[in-house]
Amino acid sequence: MPQPIALLARIGILSALAFGLAACASGPRQVSAEERSAATPLDDIDYATAGYRRVWRAFPVLNAGASVTSIRVLGDVMAVQESSSQLTLIDTRSGAIRWSDQLADPLTKCFASSRDATRIITATDNEVVFNAIDTGTLVDRDTLNEVITASPLLVNNVLVCPTASGHIVGHMATGHMNAWTNSLPGPIIGPPVRVGASNSVALISQDGTLIVLDAATGSGNGRARVGGGVGPDGGLAASEAIVFVACLDQSLYAFDAETMRRLWRVRTETPLRNRPVYHDGRVYLDIPGRGITAFDAGTGNQEWAAQGVSGTVFAMHHGRLLAWDPAMQVATSLDPATGQVINRVTLETTTMVVTDSFVDGTVYLCSSYGVITKLLPK
């Protein structure tokens, strides 16, 4: 009876790992790569079905009781942040760990990292921490007199930081000083979004006030207001010239990024809590009751709805859209012209999917046990 034995062994491994992850009181034990590998299945057949092949698996440092909170692909390195403030830098070519560092107290919140030529730049809830890319050596720490609420956006040499007070702080990545400050009338809970390849950055406050500003100077193009506010992801996406806002007032909006004039509004049946995604003239949004829905970015006209398909569109592979549903752990391939489902793949234990390029890029999966898998398009 090999199958029941294998199943019991698998259950035993998962139970032991779950116990280890929960045992915070016994000390900050680091969960071994062997434990995590045993608890994370290899899905090479499923990867192939989705059009990818596995290249490597990596094991960023994971403290007992912690989980991976963000993955940021930064060229030849990947910054993996976990919930007890441990940051690990992984070489994207080989999967080897370059270094790992405890950035702050384990209870301090840390956000997704950025980089410049020589440093990894990470914001905690009230500091900006600079580590050398090659060695992980602490280079600088800048204290901010604000509580940061979401991952800052690095534009040239300025780190655009959203805060709980509604202040937007443009912090110099060199110079230990703020370049400028702007403000919105309430907390900003979502990350800033860059408008195309310009210096313009869009942010929205929890009450629904939208601003587009110049990251170099902090000056804004004006403001717009939507009703009902936005969900925890901030509800923003942008093209080269338009900002899209998914709102709790059951509407998807489009605003001209230069004039802040409303271009269109689409009313929906339910509040919108998911983040829209823009690509190549279309906006994709998971709408409860409709599924992932495609809209013409210029007019707001609905082009199709993939009934029963939920999640976020994250890539285009060989001309097919790929969407990821973390709740169901399902990746779905869609025909971009019609929204028809081409195939579905369940990726067991996967909690996070990121890519280094929207079109035919490298895909990285993160398991619930902190195992990173690199996939290349076949």
Side-chain angles (χ1 to χ4, degrees):
M1 302 290 289
Q3 289 183 340
I5 292 173
L7 178 60
L8 288 172
R10 174 77 180 282
I11 292 172
I13 290 168
L14 293 176
S15 299
L17 181 59
F19 177 80
L21 290 173
C24 297
S26 63
R29 182 178 75 86
Q30 292 180 354
V31 186
S32 72
E34 290 76 16
E35 289 175 288
R36 291 149 64 191
S37 179
T40 303
L42 287 172
D43 297 312
D44 284 335
I45 294 176
D46 287 336
Y47 303 154
T49 300
Y52 290 85
R53 61 180 178 85
R54 177 169 55 91
V55 180
W56 50 248
R57 300 177 106 193
F59 300 86
V61 174
L62 187 72
N63 294 320
S67 59
V68 173
T69 56
S70 71
I71 298 173
R72 186 66 65 83
V73 183
L74 303 169
D76 62 344
V77 294
M78 169 192 293
V80 181
Q81 182 69 59
E82 53 100 274
S83 56
S84 68
S85 302
Q86 189 82 32
L87 175 66
T88 301
L89 202 70
I90 295 173
D91 190 302
T92 56
R93 295 161 296 190
S94 65
I97 293 178
R98 286 199 183 183
W99 51 263
S100 190
D101 187 34
Q102 185 85 31
L103 298 184
D105 181 276
L107 298 180
T108 299
K109 188 170 185 177
C110 296
F111 299 98
S113 300
S114 304
R115 69 168 288 178
D116 59 17
T118 61
R119 303 171 302 169
I120 296 295
I121 305 169
T122 311
T124 72
D125 52 16
N126 65 354
E127 285 187 313
V128 181
V129 182
F130 302 85
N131 295 85
I133 286 182
D134 291 339
T135 64
T137 302
L138 179 64
V139 177
D140 275 314
R141 300 184 85 101
D142 291 351
T143 300
L144 299 182
N145 296 319
E146 296 278 357
V147 177
I148 298 175
T149 49
S151 297
L153 179 66
L154 183 65
V155 181
N156 298 325
N157 192 44
V158 177
L159 200 66
V160 181
C161 304
T163 72
S165 67
H167 290 153
I168 307 162
V169 178
H171 186 74
M172 299 292 292
T174 55
H176 307 283
M177 61 182 293
N178 294 338
W180 50 261
T181 301
N182 207 319
S183 64
L184 291 174
I188 305 165
I189 59 174
V193 171
R194 195 164 185 173
V195 181
S198 70
N199 284 336
S200 295
V201 176
L203 301 98
I204 191 166
S205 60
Q206 196 167 12
D207 76 335
T209 303
L210 173 69
I211 188 172
V212 176
L213 52 78
D214 187 313
T217 65
S219 60
N221 295 339
R223 300 175 183 220
R225 183 70 187 274
V226 296
V230 294
D233 286 340
L236 294 182
S239 67
E240 294 291 331
I242 302 174
V243 178
F244 308 97
V245 188
C247 293
L248 298 177
D249 70 349
Q250 303 180 203
S251 299
L252 175 64
Y253 294 89
F255 293 91
D256 184 287
E258 185 172 342
T259 66
M260 302 305 296
R261 179 174 62 90
R262 193 175 85 186
L263 302 177
W264 50 260
R265 177 186 187 183
V266 174
R267 298 179 185 273
T268 62
E269 300 80 14
T270 60
L272 301 177
R273 304 180 187 276
N274 302 307
R275 179 178 59 87
V277 174
Y278 170 81
H279 175 67
D280 195 23
R282 282 185 179 154
V283 182
Y284 302 99
L285 179 63
D286 182 4
I287 300 176
R290 293 193 206 182
I292 292 178
T293 306
F295 298 92
D296 183 284
T299 65
N301 292 334
Q302 179 176 315
E303 299 195 351
W304 50 257
Q307 188 73 31
V309 181
S310 57
T312 302
V313 170
F314 71 91
M316 178 84 75
H317 174 56
H318 288 177
R320 298 176 177 181
L321 283 176
L322 297 180
W324 170 245
D325 182 350
M328 300 300 294
Q329 297 181 325
V330 171
T332 304
S333 176
L334 300 167
D335 184 328
T338 64
Q340 180 179 353
V341 174
I342 298 171
N343 59 48
R344 280 189 171 101
V345 175
T346 299
L347 300 175
E348 187 180 351
T349 78
T350 299
T351 58
M352 200 178 302
V353 178
V354 299
T355 182
D356 61 0
S357 176
F358 191 90
V359 179
D360 293 330
T362 302
V363 171
Y364 299 89
L365 311 180
C366 180
S367 81
S368 51
Y369 306 105
V371 180
I372 309 294
T373 303
K374 178 179 179 178
L375 304 178
L376 282 179
K378 294 179 63 177

